[in-house]
Each structure stands twice: as structure tokens, then as C-alpha cells.
Amino acid sequence: MENLELILTKYILGFTLQSFLLVFGVYTFNRQKLEWKEYLITVFMVANVTFFMKLLPISVGVQTIMNMIFMYLVSVIYLKMQPYITIRSTALCVVLILLSEIIVTAAVVAIYGNEAFLSLANNPYKRHYVGVMANIVFGAMVVSASFLLKRRGEYHRSISK
């Protein structure tokens, strides 16, 4: 049962959901129309690279930078997005992920206390709940940004391919 919980929280609601949201965020902040085939292929690539990156014996900050570089390269080379705007969009998404993790961590500490948070963070099966909640907050941020850009008429502006 704990392995099923780990698979669900770490891999499905962790890496995969964050990959869906990260790619959607880059599309949103680039103001580029979502093309489903390319979107799903990119999500699959980003999720796999994230998974393998987490297996490497390197620190989390280095993994984040390498994932960011990979996302940028895939966006520019495969999705044919403009390089300068894609740097900004990728960096903005990573900052929003960090902000969502800070918000969730602060909320958990404020509601349950520091000891309960440390207990949660030290449990290998439960610590991914914070990441799942951070993904939900990040998703709300990206969907809100997409909605606001659509309302202002700035979404899907013409971008040369």
C-alpha cells in the first residue's frame, strides 16, 4: 500500500503533473497556441528527464537548473518557440514553482506547526504530499495567468514559426 501511495504522490501527481503544468506554463507565458500532439510529446520528454535527473547523485538546485535548460532547449528546438521569450517563460515557471512550494510549506507550518512539518518532511512516503499541494498551487497560478491573458486579448498572439 505504501508503494502505491509513493507511486501516486511522487511519480503521477509529482513529476507527471508538474511536467504537464510546466509545459503549459511555458506555452501560456510565451502566448503561443497549445498544439496537443507537440504538448503531450513534450510533457512525456520533460517527465522522463525529470525522473532520470532525480536519480542522479546531484543536489536539488542543480537538478532544477538542468531541468530548466532541458525545458528551454525542447521549447526552442522542438516546439520552435522564440528563444528570448522562452528564457523568460521558463524562468518564470521555475520561480512560480518555487513560490508555490514556499506557500505550501508556510501554510503547513502555520497550520500544523514546525514539528509536524519536520515529521512529514522526514517520512519518505509522506513528504511528497507537500509537492503535490505545491503542484496544485502552481497549476492554479498558471491557469489564472492563462485566463487573465485570454481576457486581456494578449493570448495566442501571432508568433512566427
Side-chain angles (χ1 to χ4, degrees), residues 3 5-18 47 51 55 128:
N3 287 335
E5 182 179 6
L6 183 65
I7 290 170
L8 180 65
T9 59
K10 184 176 182 179
Y11 300 108
I12 296 174
L13 296 175
F15 299 147
T16 307
L17 179 60
Q18 191 173 68
F51 171 74
L55 296 176
H128 302 290

Side-chain angles (χ1 to χ4, degrees), residues 25-121:
V26 171
Y27 266 103
T28 296
F29 296 123
N30 272 358
R31 298 179 180 104
Q32 189 160 332
K33 185 176 180 180
L34 191 74
E35 310 232 357
W36 284 102
K37 181 181 175 186
E38 286 82 9
Y39 173 72
L40 293 174
I41 290 170
T42 305
V43 165
F44 179 75
M45 288 190 296
V46 169
N48 283 321
V49 166
T50 301
F51 171 74
F52 289 116
M53 201 72 61
K54 296 289 182 184
L55 296 176
L56 295 176
I58 54 179
S59 68
V60 176
V62 176
Q63 291 171 356
T64 302
I65 292 169
M66 291 173 69
N67 284 333
M68 189 173 150
I69 292 169
F70 179 77
M71 182 66 217
Y72 170 77
L73 290 173
V74 167
S75 297
V76 170
I77 295 169
Y78 177 69
L79 298 176
K80 307 286 189 240
M81 293 181 176
Q82 292 181 353
Y84 179 73
I85 296 171
T86 304
I87 288 174
R88 183 193 65 192
S89 300
T90 306
L92 180 59
C93 285
V94 171
V95 168
L96 288 177
I97 290 170
L98 174 65
L99 182 63
S100 66
E101 290 173 353
I102 291 171
I103 290 169
V104 169
T105 301
V108 169
V109 169
I111 294 169
Y112 297 107
N114 196 35
E115 288 183 25
F117 174 74
L118 291 175
S119 172
L120 179 70

